[in-house]
């Protein structure tokens, strides 16, 4: 079940505040993600390919 617009708005406010107050945590997450991407380039390419195939299929509907 999709989130209501009110729930989406509250989530955006919470996440914005979290990012503002926890920059060190976000820096660690970004570095971990970059490291994983460097170690798994073939998976990254496959995930991107699937994403864009899905987007193209949505456009064609």
């Amino acid at each position: 079940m999709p989130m209501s617009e009110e729930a989406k708005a509250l989530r955006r406010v919470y996440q914005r505040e979290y990012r503002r107050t926890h920059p060190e945590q976000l820096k660690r997450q970004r570095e971990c993600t970059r490291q994983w991407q460097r170690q798994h380039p073939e998976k990254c390419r496959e995930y991107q390919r699937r994403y864009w195939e899905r987007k193209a299929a949505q456009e064609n509907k």
Side-chain angles (χ1 to χ4, degrees):
M1 180 163 107
M3 279 197 284
S4 68
E5 290 303 316
E6 183 181 1
K8 287 180 186 180
L10 286 171
R11 184 173 187 250
R12 279 193 296 271
V13 168
Y14 172 82
Q15 289 178 335
R16 195 175 305 124
E17 181 64 19
Y18 182 87
R19 285 190 296 269
R20 189 180 68 76
T21 58
H22 295 86
E24 68 286 342
Q25 178 65 20
L26 295 174
K27 185 177 178 181
R28 275 187 252 132
Q29 286 176 329
R30 260 185 251 113
E31 183 52 41
C32 185
T33 299
R34 287 183 188 129
Q35 185 178 9
W36 186 89
Q37 289 172 340
R38 282 191 292 265
Q39 293 171 352
H40 302 92
E42 68 288 344
K43 288 184 179 183
C44 292
R45 279 192 291 275
E46 177 62 21
Y47 296 160
Q48 286 182 354
R49 185 193 64 77
R50 276 191 272 166
Y51 172 81
W52 287 109
E53 289 292 334
R54 205 168 45 246
K55 283 296 208 181
Q58 288 174 354
E59 284 290 318
N60 291 333
K61 283 188 177 181

